[in-house]
Amino acid sequence: MPVEPVAKIWMDGELVDWNDAKIHVLTHALHYGTGVFEGIRAYETKRGPGIFRLTDHIQRLQQSAGVYMMEMPYTVEELIEACKDLVRANGLESCYVRPVVYRGYGEMGLLPLGAPVNVFIVSWRWGTYLGEDALNNGARLMISSWRRIDSNALPSGAKGTGQYVNSSLAKIEALKGGYDDAIMLGPDGSIAEGTGENLFLLRDGLIFTPPRSAGVLMGITRDSVIRIARDLGYDVVEQKLLRSDIYTADECFFTGTAAEVTPIREVDDRTIGSGTRGPVTKEIQETFFGAVKGEIDRYASWVELV
Ligand code: PMP
């Protein structure tokens, strides 16, 4: 997806001009994938831009850094303020916010511990991830031939930059095959998640989603949607799922910061439910969009105004 430049990028404590945000070719993370990151969205609210669950995202960033034994050179509070400063400086009403903590320039070789830890935060305008049609009528997916990384190979619960070559391979396969995105099976063959999304399905009025032990990222949208669904009166069960559970589901949808709540209308050329956005998906999707825009008091604490 092309990115349109905005005014500023936050780099190691300073707001620098977009075109001046440069790093050295010997940046450790560029060679070995030794970075961690977050994907966050800010939405337009009546009281200006609100960053959705910013604190939770920065806390997850810190946890990811800890897994990779990177000490963040800024506190969670400092990075929260940095994200807000950046959105303010760029004058964006709504945008995507991408903090990256990474091993910088200084040392080569596989032992990263001597390389400096640097941080940048970028924000840009980002519309719907899988397209308006997918958001309204559902996405067409395939089950990837690429397995989701085994959490004993790479920690699936952390957002390491290097881990995303796994998702990238699946995404390429899906797009080349004419689909919008892919669902990945975990090492045990059960359903894990999308390339950058968690998966939910509805059967006989119950909502199911794979548990942490299926090797999925504990998505912040996943958590929000579980809360919303329960508040709407649905039972949500975290349970391992088989691919046939998807084929025979009444409804199915993806959640993620980028994908928001995107219905799934087809998987492996099989129609899911009615073949369009189902009523429960719609109800959850509408509540989610109300929450992110600060329109629902019950979820007001999720919206962190800049
Ligand atoms: N799974 C993976 C692999 C992801 O990359 C993402 C995006 N961060 C998600 C799920 C959804 O997580 P979140 O709702 O926190 O964006």
Side-chain angles (χ1 to χ4, degrees):
M1 234 167 273
V3 174
E4 198 188 307
V6 295
K8 298 286 183 188
I9 289 175
W10 190 96
M11 273 189 106
D12 297 316
E14 280 174 51
L15 287 169
V16 303
D17 288 342
W18 181 275
N19 287 327
D20 295 335
K22 294 184 177 148
I23 55 171
H24 198 275
V25 293
L26 282 186
T27 295
H28 196 276
L30 192 57
H31 298 249
Y32 307 114
T34 44
V36 295
F37 71 106
E38 272 302 320
I40 313 170
R41 269 190 196 263
Y43 289 90
E44 190 173 347
T45 79
K46 285 203 185 84
R47 293 185 291 156
I51 309 184
F52 188 67
R53 300 190 66 172
L54 174 61
T55 302
D56 293 318
H57 278 282
I58 301 299
Q59 279 169 350
R60 188 171 68 183
L61 181 70
Q62 188 183 40
Q63 280 174 4
S64 297
V67 171
Y68 281 97
M69 306 192 92
M70 273 191 274
E71 202 170 319
M72 290 208 308
Y74 301 95
T75 62
V76 165
E77 291 70 32
E78 285 168 337
L79 291 181
I80 289 170
E81 284 314 307
C83 290
K84 292 181 179 178
D85 288 346
L86 181 70
V87 171
R88 232 180 278 125
N90 285 326
L92 299 166
E93 283 303 324
S94 68
C95 61
Y96 190 76
V97 182
R98 163 63 55 81
V100 181
V101 178
Y102 63 101
R103 292 280 178 187
Y105 167 43
E107 288 198 15
M108 279 286 115
L110 286 178
L111 183 70
L113 302 179
V117 177
N118 296 106
V119 184
F120 62 74
I121 310 171
V122 194
S123 67
W124 65 85
R125 288 184 188 84
W126 212 1
T128 55
Y129 180 58
L130 295 172
E132 282 295 329
D133 180 53
L135 213 54
N136 294 321
N137 305 311
R140 294 181 56 251
L141 309 181
M142 68 176 286
I143 295 188
S144 185
S145 71
W146 295 99
R147 287 288 170 101
R148 186 90 191 108
I149 40 173
D150 181 337
S151 62
N152 286 310
L154 284 169
S156 50
K159 269 184 84 73
T161 57
Q163 294 171 216
Y164 278 79
V165 288
N166 177 238
S167 289
S168 246
L169 287 168
K171 188 87 187 178
I172 292 170
E173 182 186 39
L175 272 284
K176 291 276 183 197
Y179 300 93
D180 299 317
D181 208 337
I183 294 170
M184 301 179 81
L185 305 179
D188 66 356
S190 72
I191 301 291
E193 57 188 335
T195 56
E197 306 91 354
N198 292 111
L199 181 129
F200 287 76
L201 60 81
L202 176 92
R203 176 199 299 281
D204 300 332
L206 282 181
I207 296 174
F208 296 90
T209 193
R212 181 192 291 271
S213 59
V216 304
L217 183 75
M218 290 287 100
I220 288 167
T221 320
R222 175 187 184 277
D223 181 71
S224 309
V225 159
I226 290 175
R227 165 88 190 276
I228 286 170
R230 287 184 176 147
D231 287 348
L232 289 171
Y234 297 100
D235 282 327
V236 182
V237 185
E238 295 184 58
Q239 183 181 295
K240 291 229 175 151
L241 300 169
L242 305 173
R243 57 199 293 170
S244 55
D245 291 329
I246 297 187
Y247 299 154
T248 59
D250 299 325
E251 296 184 29
C252 194
F253 60 91
F254 261 167
T255 65
T257 297
E260 301 168 304
V261 177
T262 299
I264 297 168
R265 72 163 187 261
E266 208 179 289
V267 176
D268 292 341
D269 305 312
R270 290 157 178 85
T271 300
I272 309 302
S274 63
T276 185
R277 174 175 56 188
V280 176
T281 305
K282 184 165 186 268
E283 191 184 6
I284 290 172
Q285 193 188 41
E286 283 173 356
T287 311
F288 174 78
F289 280 124
V292 298
K293 290 175 192 154
E295 291 164 0
I296 305 177
D297 287 348
R298 178 180 222 170
Y299 308 119
S301 66
W302 284 347
V303 177
E304 301 182 40
L305 298 171
V306 311

